Amino acid sequence: MEYLYHLTPWPCRSETALIPDSLTKEGFVHLSSAAQVPRTARRWFAAESTLGLLVLDPSGWGEALRWEDLYGHGEAFPHLYGPIPDSSVVAILRLAQDQAGEFPWPKGWQATLSPLVEGPDEGEALIEPGRRFPQPVLPERAVLTLFPQAITILARRPGVERLERPGSAIGPDPVLLLEHQGHRLAVCSPGVGGPLAAAALEELIALGCRKFVLCGGAGALTPELELGGLVLVERALRDEGVSHHYLPSSESVEVDEKGLAALADRLRSLGTPFVQGATWTTDALYRETPSRIERRRQAGALTVEMECASLLAIARFRKVQLVPILFCGDSLAGGVWDFRDWTAAESLHDRVFWLAAEAALAL
């Protein structure tokens, strides 16, 4: 596949990267081949220290794509007469200007990109959760908790029903069923990390759940977020793998607006202080380097965790509601990791769990 490329200031924003000013002013989007990218960057973006490079799959563009030498440079460049389709963006690379004023390709970059960025496929998978678990046995509303002790404590309460391993990926803790404020709730610990939590969510959806509140711990990226502070997630930066199997490439995945508004209203009615913002989802907890942390802060992330982007992508793909509420645990805000002994704050975890249960009733 011959990819084409579009240069844009960093950080990339979809509203400007996909519909740049040139489309309005000149009627087309300026693109480059792989060989043309370094020269284009040096000529037109010398004042920028960092650029975003959209890697584009031009198949399906048809006559909207033209190779033209409009300015008599003796070289034809690709032009797209229309906005860049979101589905055509297979990757976004970051180019940093070196001391010589050049924008070299990122270290390790190859013309053959990772299979991860080829985009999601159409149609059903061979192993569809709806075929494996065709009988819905769970209520519509569910709380996903990443606090394992919440399951242990809740299981001891009178009247709580236990379902041992209703699916194959759900566990090892049981799914609990309880009556709360006149509503039946399922409570599950989906497991830590995007892949494990994603498999559990897929099975919970197949088993009948449609409205989810996720509550779990996260690392604080700003000093204002103290131990126990709550963040109602608006969007999650996709620095993980699972979400790219469900949605086309993009910087982040957004939370359902109606669900987000409903939970915000419920938390305000309970007098619970919280902030709203973005989170950074990563697969690599031991590769949260200072430079990457700073870039994610610049992109708007307040916290870092390992599940939100994966679960939000599945929720959008399966057309269900999922809203995360994050408890600020350790801190990565000061240049030195501060554990803050957050796993021992069990009373705070329990409070967040019951806030999530109350919020689930608003969906």
Side-chain angles (χ1 to χ4, degrees), residues 275-355:
V275 296
Q276 289 185 207
T279 188
W280 163 32
T281 305
T282 178
D283 285 335
L285 105 98
Y286 288 120
R287 292 304 299 155
E288 296 169 4
T289 61
S291 59
R292 189 171 291 257
I293 290 169
E294 181 57 29
R295 292 200 300 274
R296 299 300 177 259
R297 264 198 294 257
Q298 292 297 320
L302 301 178
T303 56
V304 58
E305 37 64 46
M306 300 179 68
E307 298 84 18
C308 284
S310 301
L311 300 184
L312 287 169
I314 293 173
R316 177 170 294 185
F317 181 80
R318 297 295 182 190
K319 297 180 172 56
V320 301
Q321 283 186 318
L322 186 145
V323 184
I325 301 173
L326 298 178
F327 168 99
C328 291
D330 57 329
S331 175
L332 295 85
V336 177
W337 180 46
D338 185 357
F339 183 59
R340 301 201 290 199
D341 201 23
W342 77 274
T343 54
E346 294 189 359
S347 62
L348 294 177
H349 301 175
D350 188 61
R351 179 178 69 87
V352 175
F353 168 76
W354 285 109
L355 283 172

Side-chain angles (χ1 to χ4, degrees), residues 200-214:
L201 178 61
E202 283 274 32
E203 294 184 2
L204 291 167
I205 294 169
L207 290 165
C209 298
R210 293 292 181 272
K211 301 173 185 289
F212 299 87
V213 173
L214 169 69

